[in-house]
Amino acid sequence: MAFETIIVDVEDHVALIKLNRPDALNALNSQLLSELCTALDEADANDKVRCIVLTGSEKAFAAGADIKEMSEKTYVEVFTENLFGEVGDRVAAIRKPIIAAVSGYALGGGCEMAMMCDFIIASDTAKFGQPEINLGVIAGIGGTQRLTRFVGKSKSMDMNLTGRFMNAEEAERSGLVSRVVPAKKLIEEATAAAQKIAEKSQLTAMAAKEAVNRSYELTLNEGLLFERRVFHSMFATEDQKEGMAAFLEKREAQFRDK
Ligand SMILES: CC(C)(O)CC(=O)SCCNC(=O)CCNC(=O)[C@H](O)C(C)(C)COP(=O)(O)OP(=O)(O)OC[C@H]1O[C@@H](n2cnc3c(N)ncnc32)[C@H](O)[C@@H]1OP(=O)(O)O
C-alpha cells in the first residue's frame, strides 16, 4: 500500500515508519493518523518484520494534533467522531515492539504518540511538551495520564499547566526517554536497538512487552502473578529450550519463534 503522509521501509526485520508532513512539522491530521494506523497494522502482520521504529523528521517527530483541522470543530462533532479516541487503542494493539525515535519537537499529540510506543530514543535536539493549555484545551491522548506515569505528578503538572518544553537531557533524567543520542546518529542507534530486539525470540519479546504493559494496569501482586504465569508458560516453548541450551553450550541461540 502507498501512503502520502507516511514512508515505510523494511530492512533486516525492522520496519522504519516515518511521519512525513514536512509543511506542518508532522502535525497529526486525520489522514496521517489513519495511514499510520494502517502502516502499523501491516508491519505487525508482516512476517518479515520483528520490530518497528517510528520516527519523524530532524526538526519534528510531530508538533501535535493538526490545529487547523480541529480548530472549528464543535463539541458534538468531536464527541460523535470520538476525536483521537481510536489511535491510542490501535497503537496499543500492536504486539511487536515499537521504538519511538524522536528528533526535534514532540509536542502535544506528538509527545503522546511517542509515549504510546514501547520506549523512546531521543536525539540531543529533542523537545517534549504538552502545550495544549496554550490552545485552551488539555491533552487528549495520554498527556495527563501516560506522562504522569513516566515522570511523576510534579513534573507532569508543570508540563501540562505551564506548557513548557522539556529538552532531551531533562527527558532522560526524568525517565521519559530511555537514552539520548547525537541527532545525526538517531536512526542508526534506533535501528540498531530494533535489530537487537529482532534477534530475540519474537514470542518472548511479545510476552515481555505484554508483561511490562500490564504493570500499568494491575496491582503489584496481580502483576507479579501475571509475570510468573507468563514466565512459567515460556517453558512450553522451543525457544526456552534453545536459549538455555545455547547458553550452556557457549554458542549463539537460534530462535525459531516456537
Ligand atoms: C492530541 C491532543 C488532543 O493532545 C491535542 C494536541 O496535540 S494540540 C497541538 C499541540 N501542539 C502545539 O500546540 C504545537 C504547535 N506548534 C508550535 O508551537 C510551533 O509550530 C513549534 C514551536 C512546534 C515550531 O515553531 P517554528 O519553528 O516557529 O515553526 P512554525 O512556523 O510555527 O511551524 C511551521 C509550520 O508548521 C505548522 N504547524 C506547526 N505545528 C502545527 C500543528 N500542531 N498543527 C497545524 N500546523 C502546525 C505551522 O502553522 C507552520 O505552517 P505555516 O504557517 O508555515 O503554513
Side-chain angles (χ1 to χ4, degrees), residues 102 106-107 111 120 122 126-129 159 164-166 171 176-177:
V102 174
L107 304 178
C111 184
I120 304 172
K127 290 178 202 68
F128 298 87
M159 306 291 293
R164 79 172 175 89
F165 301 165
M166 194 192 265
L176 177 57
V177 313

Side-chain angles (χ1 to χ4, degrees), residues 168-216:
E169 190 267 319
E170 184 182 4
E172 185 180 27
R173 185 161 28 91
S174 312
L176 177 57
V177 313
S178 70
R179 37 182 139 150
V180 178
V181 301
K184 290 274 172 271
K185 293 199 141 195
L186 177 66
I187 299 304
E188 187 185 322
E189 295 277 349
T191 305
Q195 269 156 2
K196 223 175 204 344
I197 294 168
E199 286 165 13
K200 318 291 182 209
S201 157
Q202 193 168 111
L203 207 64
T204 317
M206 283 176 8
K209 169 171 172 161
E210 210 168 298
V212 172
N213 280 333
R214 282 299 176 104
S215 72
Y216 280 108

Side-chain angles (χ1 to χ4, degrees), residues 92-187:
I94 302 299
R95 299 194 69 201
K96 291 174 185 168
I98 313 176
I99 302 173
V102 174
S103 186
Y105 296 110
L107 304 178
C111 184
E112 293 167 306
M113 177 71 67
M115 292 190 290
M116 285 175 209
C117 298
D118 295 317
F119 63 97
I120 304 172
I121 299 182
S123 90
D124 49 13
T125 64
K127 290 178 202 68
F128 298 87
Q130 297 295 157
E132 287 90 340
I133 195 158
N134 298 327
L135 302 170
V137 291
I138 69 165
I141 42 174
T144 66
Q145 302 302 302
R146 287 199 181 90
L147 185 66
T148 307
R149 285 165 166 81
F150 276 105
V151 305
K153 176 183 167 185
S154 189
K155 208 171 270 287
S156 176
M157 283 287 191
D158 181 358
M159 306 291 293
N160 277 287
L161 292 176
T162 68
R164 79 172 175 89
F165 301 165
M166 194 192 265
N167 67 20
E169 190 267 319
E170 184 182 4
E172 185 180 27
R173 185 161 28 91
S174 312
L176 177 57
V177 313
S178 70
R179 37 182 139 150
V180 178
V181 301
K184 290 274 172 271
K185 293 199 141 195
L186 177 66
I187 299 304

Side-chain angles (χ1 to χ4, degrees), residues 3-9 16-20 35 39 53:
F3 300 108
E4 273 178 48
T5 59
I6 301 286
I7 297 170
V8 183
D9 186 23
L16 180 67
I17 300 182
K18 192 171 184 302
L19 309 181
N20 186 42
E35 291 185 352
V53 174

